[in-house]
Amino acid sequence: MITMRDALGPVTEALLRQARLDADAVAGAAEREAARTVADARREASAVISDATRQGEAEAEAHAAAARARARREARGRELAARREVLADLRGRVVAAVRALRDDPCYPRLIERLGELARESGGADLVVREHPDGGVVAEGPGRRVDCSLTALAERAVNALGAEVERLWAP
């Protein structure tokens, strides 16, 4: 006598085989989908890393450019300050040297000649008086000619113009 179990055995085996085939197919599809998901995630991660790297490099370059510009401005400021200091020192030395002319025996003749030059420049009616620091100042209505030794020294330095740059040129 064939039992139900014996009769259903081939059907059960066929169903089990089909279930295994279906399970293998589902597992294969799941593995392929998982592989695609992992590959997509890797591509996305790589793109994010590349974008972040480019952005980081751009920000670093911007910071570096700003730092270079700051350094150039600071260096230029120091250079200009040094030039001003050298020019101020030159002015001081020239003024001191010109004021030393007061001790020269020819100083009275220099005062006389400066007075003549002041009148020639501003008019014969100017009143000429000796300046306390040396030299003369001539004044008249609406006019003033400063031939003090300090003013003459300042004009001499200013007249150097671009030539004064030789002081700090290599």
Side-chain angles (χ1 to χ4, degrees), residues 12-37:
T12 303
E13 282 180 29
L15 286 175
L16 282 174
R17 260 193 316 275
Q18 188 59 46
R20 284 188 191 110
L21 289 174
D22 288 347
D24 288 345
V26 168
E31 285 177 14
R32 287 187 299 279
E33 181 62 28
R36 275 193 301 273
T37 301

Side-chain angles (χ1 to χ4, degrees), residues 76 79 83 87 90 160-170:
R76 181 68 176 156
E79 178 185 358
R83 287 181 179 193
L87 188 56
L90 173 67
L160 290 173
E163 288 292 314
V164 80
E165 290 188 20
R166 285 189 193 178
L167 295 172
W168 46 77

